[in-house]
mmCIF file of all heavy atoms in Angstrom:
data_model
loop_
_atom_site.group_PDB
_atom_site.id
_atom_site.type_symbol
_atom_site.label_atom_id
_atom_site.label_comp_id
_atom_site.label_asym_id
_atom_site.label_seq_id
_atom_site.Cartn_x
_atom_site.Cartn_y
_atom_site.Cartn_z
ATOM 1 N N GLU A 228 28.485 6.563 34.309
ATOM 2 C CA GLU A 228 28.366 5.524 35.325
ATOM 3 C C GLU A 228 29.142 4.277 34.916
ATOM 4 O O GLU A 228 29.163 3.891 33.740
ATOM 5 C CB GLU A 228 26.886 5.143 35.522
ATOM 6 C CG GLU A 228 26.032 6.211 36.143
ATOM 7 C CD GLU A 228 24.579 5.770 36.285
ATOM 8 O OE1 GLU A 228 24.291 4.593 35.976
ATOM 9 O OE2 GLU A 228 23.742 6.596 36.686
ATOM 10 N N GLN A 229 29.766 3.636 35.885
ATOM 11 C CA GLN A 229 30.466 2.359 35.725
ATOM 12 C C GLN A 229 31.640 2.429 34.740
ATOM 13 O O GLN A 229 32.166 1.399 34.329
ATOM 14 C CB GLN A 229 29.485 1.263 35.282
ATOM 15 C CG GLN A 229 28.321 1.092 36.269
ATOM 16 C CD GLN A 229 27.380 -0.006 35.865
ATOM 17 O OE1 GLN A 229 27.754 -1.175 35.843
ATOM 18 N NE2 GLN A 229 26.131 0.362 35.561
ATOM 19 N N CYS A 230 32.040 3.650 34.391
ATOM 20 C CA CYS A 230 33.211 3.843 33.517
ATOM 21 C C CYS A 230 34.075 4.954 34.102
ATOM 22 O O CYS A 230 34.199 6.043 33.521
ATOM 23 C CB CYS A 230 32.784 4.203 32.098
ATOM 24 S SG CYS A 230 31.718 2.991 31.296
ATOM 25 N N PRO A 231 34.674 4.720 35.271
ATOM 26 C CA PRO A 231 35.348 5.792 35.995
ATOM 27 C C PRO A 231 36.526 6.420 35.267
ATOM 28 O O PRO A 231 36.865 7.584 35.521
ATOM 29 C CB PRO A 231 35.803 5.106 37.293
ATOM 30 C CG PRO A 231 35.839 3.650 36.961
ATOM 31 C CD PRO A 231 34.738 3.443 35.985
ATOM 32 N N GLN A 232 37.149 5.682 34.363
ATOM 33 C CA GLN A 232 38.331 6.206 33.674
ATOM 34 C C GLN A 232 37.988 6.933 32.375
ATOM 35 O O GLN A 232 38.885 7.477 31.716
ATOM 36 C CB GLN A 232 39.302 5.057 33.360
ATOM 37 C CG GLN A 232 39.701 4.215 34.565
ATOM 38 C CD GLN A 232 40.304 5.040 35.677
ATOM 39 O OE1 GLN A 232 41.124 5.920 35.432
ATOM 40 N NE2 GLN A 232 39.901 4.766 36.907
ATOM 41 N N VAL A 233 36.710 6.933 32.015
ATOM 42 C CA VAL A 233 36.307 7.474 30.712
ATOM 43 C C VAL A 233 35.755 8.882 30.854
ATOM 44 O O VAL A 233 34.965 9.165 31.755
ATOM 45 C CB VAL A 233 35.242 6.560 30.065
ATOM 46 C CG1 VAL A 233 34.717 7.180 28.772
ATOM 47 C CG2 VAL A 233 35.820 5.187 29.797
ATOM 48 N N GLU A 234 36.186 9.764 29.964
ATOM 49 C CA GLU A 234 35.621 11.102 29.854
ATOM 50 C C GLU A 234 35.241 11.330 28.387
ATOM 51 O O GLU A 234 36.078 11.206 27.500
ATOM 52 C CB GLU A 234 36.609 12.166 30.330
ATOM 53 C CG GLU A 234 36.884 12.097 31.828
ATOM 54 C CD GLU A 234 37.826 13.196 32.299
ATOM 55 O OE1 GLU A 234 38.458 13.855 31.443
ATOM 56 O OE2 GLU A 234 37.935 13.402 33.525
ATOM 57 N N ILE A 235 33.969 11.631 28.156
ATOM 58 C CA ILE A 235 33.458 11.777 26.794
ATOM 59 C C ILE A 235 33.355 13.254 26.432
ATOM 60 O O ILE A 235 32.698 14.029 27.147
ATOM 61 C CB ILE A 235 32.078 11.110 26.666
ATOM 62 C CG1 ILE A 235 32.207 9.602 26.925
ATOM 63 C CG2 ILE A 235 31.476 11.366 25.296
ATOM 64 C CD1 ILE A 235 30.907 8.869 26.914
ATOM 65 N N PRO A 236 33.993 13.662 25.342
ATOM 66 C CA PRO A 236 33.938 15.085 24.961
ATOM 67 C C PRO A 236 32.559 15.478 24.447
ATOM 68 O O PRO A 236 31.851 14.673 23.852
ATOM 69 C CB PRO A 236 34.980 15.179 23.849
ATOM 70 C CG PRO A 236 35.019 13.807 23.252
ATOM 71 C CD PRO A 236 34.784 12.861 24.401
ATOM 72 N N VAL A 237 32.206 16.732 24.703
ATOM 73 C CA VAL A 237 30.961 17.296 24.174
ATOM 74 C C VAL A 237 31.331 18.368 23.154
ATOM 75 O O VAL A 237 32.103 19.279 23.456
ATOM 76 C CB VAL A 237 30.104 17.912 25.297
ATOM 77 C CG1 VAL A 237 28.831 18.536 24.722
ATOM 78 C CG2 VAL A 237 29.753 16.863 26.343
ATOM 79 N N SER A 238 30.806 18.239 21.942
ATOM 80 C CA SER A 238 31.079 19.231 20.902
ATOM 81 C C SER A 238 30.532 20.594 21.320
ATOM 82 O O SER A 238 29.497 20.684 22.007
ATOM 83 C CB SER A 238 30.433 18.808 19.581
ATOM 84 O OG SER A 238 30.979 17.604 19.107
ATOM 85 N N LYS A 239 31.201 21.658 20.896
ATOM 86 C CA LYS A 239 30.752 23.002 21.242
ATOM 87 C C LYS A 239 29.315 23.244 20.785
ATOM 88 O O LYS A 239 28.540 23.912 21.469
ATOM 89 C CB LYS A 239 31.687 24.034 20.617
ATOM 90 C CG LYS A 239 33.035 24.145 21.324
ATOM 91 C CD LYS A 239 33.866 25.290 20.744
ATOM 92 C CE LYS A 239 35.174 25.427 21.503
ATOM 93 N NZ LYS A 239 35.999 26.551 20.977
ATOM 94 N N SER A 240 28.953 22.685 19.628
ATOM 95 C CA SER A 240 27.605 22.884 19.098
ATOM 96 C C SER A 240 26.545 22.184 19.935
ATOM 97 O O SER A 240 25.349 22.473 19.794
ATOM 98 C CB SER A 240 27.531 22.385 17.648
ATOM 99 O OG SER A 240 27.816 20.994 17.587
ATOM 100 N N LYS A 241 26.969 21.234 20.788
ATOM 101 C CA LYS A 241 26.028 20.450 21.588
ATOM 102 C C LYS A 241 25.974 20.902 23.051
ATOM 103 O O LYS A 241 25.131 20.414 23.813
ATOM 104 C CB LYS A 241 26.417 18.973 21.551
ATOM 105 C CG LYS A 241 26.242 18.297 20.205
ATOM 106 C CD LYS A 241 24.768 18.084 19.897
ATOM 107 C CE LYS A 241 24.577 17.290 18.627
ATOM 108 N NZ LYS A 241 23.151 17.027 18.357
ATOM 109 N N ILE A 242 26.881 21.790 23.439
ATOM 110 C CA ILE A 242 26.987 22.148 24.863
ATOM 111 C C ILE A 242 25.686 22.727 25.404
ATOM 112 O O ILE A 242 25.205 22.317 26.474
ATOM 113 C CB ILE A 242 28.149 23.139 25.078
ATOM 114 C CG1 ILE A 242 29.487 22.403 24.902
ATOM 115 C CG2 ILE A 242 28.073 23.771 26.468
ATOM 116 C CD1 ILE A 242 30.700 23.306 24.987
ATOM 117 N N LYS A 243 25.069 23.655 24.684
ATOM 118 C CA LYS A 243 23.840 24.289 25.165
ATOM 119 C C LYS A 243 22.746 23.256 25.368
ATOM 120 O O LYS A 243 22.047 23.262 26.402
ATOM 121 C CB LYS A 243 23.393 25.376 24.183
ATOM 122 C CG LYS A 243 22.185 26.161 24.651
ATOM 123 C CD LYS A 243 21.869 27.288 23.679
ATOM 124 C CE LYS A 243 20.652 28.095 24.148
ATOM 125 N NZ LYS A 243 20.332 29.194 23.192
#
Side-chain angles (χ1 to χ4, degrees):
E228 292 179 5
Q229 303 182 65
C230 302
Q232 306 304 317
V233 175
E234 293 182 347
I235 297 176
V237 178
S238 297
K239 285 186 177 181
S240 61
K241 292 288 186 177
I242 288 176
K243 184 176 180 180

